[in-house]
Amino acid sequence: MTTLFDHPDHSLYSNGMTFLRQPMVQNITDINADVVVLGLPFDMATSGRPGARLGPDAIRRASVHLAWEETKYPWTFKLFERLKLADAGDFTYPVGDAEYFTAKLEQAAAGILSQGKAILGLGGDHFVTLPLLRAHAKRFGKMALVHFDAHTDTYSNGSRYDHGTMFYHAPIEGLIDVDHSIQIGIRTDFDQSKHEFAVIDAMAANDLSAQTIAEQIKARVGDLPVYITFDIDCLDPAFAPGTGTPVCGGLTSDKVLKILRALKGINMIGMDVVEVSPSYDQSELTAIAAATIASELLHLWTYKNKY
């Protein structure tokens, strides 16, 4: 049996709470589910405040507040009448070994995808998206990236393991097609003269309607396989204070949810929600926002694949 708990430190971050109270699985080579939740308790690539390794647990606990609503308003179908979801728990690794984490996460994710399953990743810092993209590219080829964030994460001067460099490396490795990728909510400096991603910065996003933003995203990605990555600091700190690198002037949770719902029909093949750091989270605001966004992503995937 292949599990995510092979390393002896399995008890360090693992927990008994599952996302939306769905079944826990440990044998990842034989999963009876359409989508598998992976907790990714990793924050060694963080440049700001640490603590995102505890994000998966916080998101799962917050998701309990959402589990009672069988039909999530304003969606018109009961999610678990159409979707089989399983939670594989937290991916574990030797403490401090970023190389092991990166290689083994790619391997485990590729194994799940090879079974025809999709993955919902719960971070962890944003670096976790890079090994997930590597695994998805093996199955789907070059993808379009829809990236919600305050930062572009395209910085070239970071270290090998850095949560600000993933989308510098991903195009070089041929994982994503920048000509069909887009970033929403950006409000920190980047080299615009060399930036190939389309950008709807936070100032524009706050002025545009959610429908207009969704139309621009759809036009950009076309019919390519789409991976959606959501850094919780895309939201303004008023809505998500519990994150490592908060930046004022972000989007509201209402605007983000409307954008995601308006993306119905895109060829979505993978998703993650990252950078929840619960030690800075007042009243679980950030964790609840992250759990809600993750639930919306599941509805979006289900609408395309099961509706």
Side-chain angles (χ1 to χ4, degrees):
M1 181 176 74
T2 302
T3 78
L4 298 181
F5 307 99
D6 292 333
H7 188 267
D9 286 340
H10 64 85
S11 63
L12 188 56
Y13 305 119
S14 61
N15 57 81
M17 187 75 66
T18 64
F19 188 73
L20 293 176
R21 293 178 174 164
Q22 293 306 294
M24 170 74 81
V25 297
Q26 291 192 12
N27 183 2
I28 63 168
T29 60
D30 185 22
I31 300 172
N32 181 24
D34 304 305
V35 178
V36 179
V37 177
L38 290 183
L40 306 169
F42 177 90
D43 63 3
M44 286 188 289
T46 301
S47 59
R49 305 184 300 190
R53 69 184 65 187
L54 303 177
D57 178 61
I59 296 170
R60 286 189 179 98
R61 291 179 184 280
S63 77
V64 172
H65 300 294
L66 313 177
W68 66 271
E69 192 175 15
E70 292 185 357
T71 303
K72 189 177 187 304
Y73 188 84
W75 294 92
T76 58
F77 59 89
K78 294 181 179 180
L79 182 63
F80 296 123
E81 284 186 355
R82 300 181 182 273
L83 173 73
K84 288 185 178 179
L85 184 71
D87 192 329
D90 284 356
F91 188 85
T92 56
Y93 57 97
V95 174
D97 195 337
E99 183 175 2
Y100 177 100
F101 173 88
T102 304
K104 292 297 184 179
L105 173 56
E106 178 185 346
Q107 179 182 345
I112 292 170
L113 295 171
S114 70
Q115 302 172 54
K117 317 300 183 185
I119 293 172
L120 166 61
L122 302 178
D125 72 44
H126 211 160
F127 176 79
V128 304
T129 301
L130 185 57
L132 289 175
L133 285 176
R134 289 169 176 160
H136 281 78
K138 289 177 179 178
R139 178 165 180 82
F140 297 100
K142 190 177 288 189
M143 300 164 287
L145 183 74
V146 176
H147 172 204
F148 292 84
D149 207 323
H151 315 83
T152 64
D153 296 338
T154 55
Y155 312 111
S156 60
N157 58 348
S159 67
R160 184 178 178 187
Y161 305 104
D162 186 321
H163 72 159
T165 63
M166 303 82 60
F167 308 130
Y168 167 76
H169 293 293
I172 292 174
E173 294 182 23
L175 310 179
I176 59 176
D177 185 340
V178 290
D179 292 332
H180 291 277
S181 296
I182 187 166
Q183 300 174 311
I184 304 97
I186 305 302
R187 54 191 185 278
T188 51
D189 190 40
F190 62 99
D191 188 346
Q192 299 182 40
S193 67
K194 298 179 180 179
H195 199 72
E196 298 179 276
F197 291 82
V199 172
I200 303 175
D201 66 31
M203 293 178 290
N206 282 327
D207 290 337
L208 295 170
S209 71
Q211 186 63 42
T212 298
I213 294 169
E215 289 172 358
Q216 292 185 25
I217 294 171
K218 286 182 173 180
R220 181 71 173 181
V221 303
D223 59 1
L224 264 66
V226 176
Y227 189 100
I228 298 181
T229 181
F230 199 103
D231 187 324
I232 204 66
D233 70 28
C234 178
L235 297 177
D236 189 86
F239 302 91
T243 189
T245 50
V247 184
C248 289
L251 279 64
T252 68
S253 52
D254 176 64
K255 173 64 73 71
V256 160
L257 295 176
K258 287 176 178 175
I259 294 169
L260 292 176
R261 291 167 191 151
L263 292 178
K264 288 187 295 188
I266 64 168
N267 185 20
M268 178 182 173
I269 50 83
M271 60 202 121
D272 64 53
V273 181
V274 298
E275 294 286 358
V276 172
S277 188
S279 59
Y280 306 102
D281 194 16
Q282 287 76 43
S283 302
E284 299 183 343
L285 290 175
T286 313
I288 291 171
T292 303
I293 290 165
S295 175
E296 292 292 330
L297 292 174
L298 289 174
H299 281 78
L300 192 60
W301 185 92
T302 302
Y303 182 89
K304 173 63 171 64
N305 293 281
K306 296 290 183 176
Y307 194 67

